[in-house]
């Protein structure tokens, strides 16, 4: 939470009697102790991979299963690919912890809204989301009766015939929830326009990731074909 994404080697964790086996599980919060890197006078930076000395469970939800498992790994893959190492985002860390329980419920629409809210916050935290309450090119306020599109290369623009447009009220509500830092409010906004947000955010993420399909989504599609 305070140091950002880290690469850590857990030596001996796969041994049958290792105490780490029951702690190092996906989607769980842990308190960890890392070894201090050995640095000589010539070293300018610590090694990229640190060694784990100890870990304790710090709370978390039950293990995700079924579709919720893929949704959780979807979040993980986005974090791995979009966050630089050593770049802390405490707000995003907390939002991730709040999102996981929402994915575990039986209500698929609720889980999808939680995913969209997390994607919006992630893009905002890393500086890839424009102000949703303004037309990006002119910085004018959105008209109440208009529909707008969110494009990777142009930001918020009036929706064209082929765009997955979103009502102005929805975008303004999303911006207000982001500024307030309320994931609950952001999930409510996303739930009100779920198809539009899903299409829009998939396009945005594909643009910034440089790939149209995440590995997690491809695995899920392959399993569905089976």
């Amino acid at each position: 939470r305070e140091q950002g994404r880290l690469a850590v080697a857990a030596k001996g964790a796969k041994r049958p009697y290792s105490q780490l086996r029951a702690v190092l599980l996906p989607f769980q919060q842990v308190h960890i102790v890392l070894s201090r890197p050995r640095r000589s006078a010539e070293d300018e930076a610590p090694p990229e991979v640190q060694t784990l000395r100890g870990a304790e469970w710090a709370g978390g939800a039950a293990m995700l299963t079924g579709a919720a498992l893929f949704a959780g790994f979807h979040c993980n893959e986005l974090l791995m690919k979009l966050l630089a190492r050593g770049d802390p985002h405490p707000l995003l860390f907390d939002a991730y912890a709040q999102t996981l329980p929402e994915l575990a419920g039986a209500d698929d629409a609720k889980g999808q809204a939680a995913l969209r809210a997390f994607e919006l916050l992630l893009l905002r935290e890393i500086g890839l989301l424009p102000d949703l309450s303004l037309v990006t090119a002119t910085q004018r306020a959105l008209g109440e009766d208009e529909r707008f599109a969110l494009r990777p290369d142009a930001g918020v623009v009036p929706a064209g015939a082929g765009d997955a447009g979103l009502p102005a009220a929805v975008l303004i509500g999303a911006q207000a929830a982001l500024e307030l830092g309320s994931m609950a409010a952001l999930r409510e906004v996303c739930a009100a326009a779920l198809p539009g947000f899903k299409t829009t955010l998939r396009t945005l993420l594909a643009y910034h990731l440089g790939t149209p399909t995440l590995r997690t989504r491809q695995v899920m599609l392959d399993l569905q074909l089976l």
Side-chain angles (χ1 to χ4, degrees):
R1 187 180 189 279
E2 305 300 335
Q3 299 183 49
R5 185 166 68 84
L6 303 175
V8 179
K11 296 182 178 179
K14 293 186 178 180
R15 293 173 183 168
Y17 300 104
S18 172
Q19 295 181 346
L20 294 175
R21 286 175 65 92
V23 178
L24 299 181
L25 300 173
F27 315 118
Q28 303 298 309
Q29 288 193 41
V30 290
H31 293 304
I32 62 173
V33 179
L34 302 177
S35 62
R36 292 185 178 181
R38 296 180 179 179
R39 298 174 64 181
S40 63
E42 292 79 16
D43 292 335
E44 296 183 358
E48 290 191 5
V49 180
Q50 301 182 63
T51 301
L52 182 69
R53 292 183 57 192
E56 294 182 354
W57 185 68
M63 185 64 180
L64 300 177
T65 59
L69 179 63
F70 284 100
F73 280 131
H74 170 82
C75 294
N76 288 2
E77 187 173 357
L78 291 178
L79 293 172
M80 289 290 292
K81 290 183 175 180
L82 290 174
L83 293 185
R85 286 185 183 175
D87 183 18
H89 291 275
L91 180 63
L92 186 59
F93 183 97
D94 295 340
Y96 175 81
Q98 295 174 39
T99 299
L100 293 177
E102 299 293 323
L103 302 179
D107 189 337
D108 181 64
K110 185 177 179 181
Q112 288 295 317
L115 274 183
R116 305 292 83 82
F118 180 77
E119 290 168 348
L120 280 170
L121 182 64
L122 171 59
L123 289 170
R124 184 175 191 262
E125 277 289 289
I126 59 178
L128 297 178
L129 190 71
D131 189 324
L132 300 179
S133 65
L134 302 172
V135 177
T136 302
T138 62
Q139 292 296 289
R140 74 168 176 87
L142 307 188
E144 292 183 3
D145 299 326
E146 296 179 278
R147 294 182 67 85
F148 294 87
L150 181 57
R151 295 178 182 168
D153 57 346
V156 179
V157 298
D163 290 321
L166 290 163
V170 169
L171 290 173
I172 293 170
Q175 181 65 31
L178 286 167
E179 292 178 358
L180 186 63
S182 172
M183 288 300 291
L186 190 56
R187 288 193 296 268
E188 288 186 10
V189 174
C190 291
L194 201 50
F197 270 121
K198 185 173 183 178
T199 302
T200 296
L201 288 170
R202 183 174 293 176
T203 301
L204 277 178
L205 290 169
Y207 177 86
H208 292 299
L209 289 167
T211 176
T213 305
L214 289 170
R215 184 177 302 175
T216 303
R217 176 170 171 76
Q218 187 59 57
V219 171
M220 183 177 67
L221 293 174
D222 292 343
L223 285 175
Q224 289 175 346
L225 289 176
L226 293 174

